[in-house]
Amino acid sequence: MLVGMLAGCGINTIPRDNQAVKAAWAQVQNEYQRRADLIPNLVATVKGYAKQERETLTAVTQARSKATSIQVDASTIDNPDKLQRYIQAQNKLSGALSRLLAVSERYPDLKSNQNFLALQSQLEGTENRIAVARRDYIQAVQKYNTDLVTFPGRIWHWLMYSDMKPHANFEATADNAEQAPEVQF
């Protein structure tokens, strides 16, 4: 009977809320770690993809320019050096176009723009997840700290849980914390 009354009157509220605070803080740390793991990898992926596309498109442009700069007329056939330069330029253009076609076959449209949009979306999503985790932590701390100073939690705190102290709430400690971090490529 006494156990039932004690269980129903909030004796376990303070330890339960204390564990909720710890779990909420662990989630905040989890989201920070997710950001630390995710963002550099996303940026590197986008940079690598953009670089590959840029190299492919640059190669095509340069090969095309070189191929069209060599003037071809009837006398070209009679000039082995000029013919060889023309064939080499055309082969370079063919090779560059083959790489471009391979890229476009794997990726029907060149997707750097989509990758940047995906990166932007992931950055926004990550920052939102962090904000939600912080909010949940703040709410858990508020509930726990409130239980320590209101009835009947105040009595239980005094009788049984005097070693449990109020938790500090989340505070932005970085300079300019109200500003999102800048991503540079």
Side-chain angles (χ1 to χ4, degrees), residues 160-182:
M160 298 184 69
Y161 305 116
S162 60
D163 60 323
M164 294 182 161
K165 304 296 179 209
H167 285 287
N169 222 325
F170 178 83
E171 291 182 28
T173 57
D175 291 339
N176 299 319
E178 67 278 359
Q179 296 175 0
E182 184 178 323

Side-chain angles (χ1 to χ4, degrees), residues 9 146-156:
C9 65
T146 300
D147 286 341
L148 292 181
V149 297
T150 59
F151 184 81
R154 185 177 188 126
I155 294 170
W156 294 123

Side-chain angles (χ1 to χ4, degrees), residues 9 26 48 75 117 125 157:
C9 65
S75 67
L117 292 174
H157 183 243

Side-chain angles (χ1 to χ4, degrees), residues 5 17 33 38-39 57 64 78 96 99 106 117 121 141 150 162 170 172 176 182:
M5 287 176 42
D17 290 349
Q33 187 63 50
L38 177 69
I39 300 308
L57 292 173
R64 181 190 168 278
D78 299 326
R99 287 190 303 275
R106 279 184 279 150
L117 292 174
S121 175
V141 167
T150 59
S162 60
F170 178 83
N176 299 319
E182 184 178 323

Side-chain angles (χ1 to χ4, degrees), residues 83-150:
L83 183 60
Q84 190 60 34
R85 285 194 313 268
Y86 177 75
I87 291 171
Q88 286 174 344
Q90 293 300 320
N91 286 343
K92 281 188 176 182
L93 179 57
S94 293
L97 287 172
S98 293
R99 287 190 303 275
L100 179 62
L101 289 175
V103 168
S104 67
E105 285 173 7
R106 279 184 279 150
Y107 311 102
D109 53 347
L110 295 177
K111 297 180 181 174
S112 282
N113 186 38
Q114 290 175 359
N115 284 343
F116 283 105
L117 292 174
L119 173 61
Q120 182 181 8
S121 175
Q122 286 293 328
L123 287 171
E124 180 182 344
T126 297
E127 294 305 315
N128 286 340
R129 289 171 73 135
I130 290 169
V132 167
R134 286 177 184 163
R135 183 204 60 210
D136 292 348
Y137 172 75
I138 290 166
Q139 290 173 344
V141 167
Q142 177 193 13
K143 183 170 181 351
Y144 171 78
N145 288 347
T146 300
D147 286 341
L148 292 181
V149 297
T150 59

Side-chain angles (χ1 to χ4, degrees), residues 13-112:
T13 302
I14 292 173
R16 189 177 302 119
D17 290 349
N18 188 41
Q19 292 303 311
V21 168
K22 290 177 182 179
W25 181 247
Q27 185 59 29
V28 170
Q29 291 177 312
N30 178 51
E31 294 303 336
Y32 282 146
Q33 187 63 50
R34 179 182 181 273
R35 176 173 60 185
D37 294 343
L38 177 69
I39 300 308
N41 291 330
L42 285 171
V43 170
T45 299
V46 171
K47 283 173 81 172
Y49 197 118
K51 179 181 177 187
Q52 183 226 344
E53 289 177 12
R54 183 172 40 252
E55 288 173 355
T56 302
L57 292 173
T58 299
V60 169
T61 303
Q62 289 174 344
R64 181 190 168 278
S65 176
K66 184 150 183 133
T68 59
S69 70
I70 299 174
Q71 298 300 316
V72 179
D73 56 20
S75 67
T76 304
I77 300 172
D78 299 326
N79 185 333
D81 290 331
K82 192 173 185 181
L83 183 60
Q84 190 60 34
R85 285 194 313 268
Y86 177 75
I87 291 171
Q88 286 174 344
Q90 293 300 320
N91 286 343
K92 281 188 176 182
L93 179 57
S94 293
L97 287 172
S98 293
R99 287 190 303 275
L100 179 62
L101 289 175
V103 168
S104 67
E105 285 173 7
R106 279 184 279 150
Y107 311 102
D109 53 347
L110 295 177
K111 297 180 181 174
S112 282

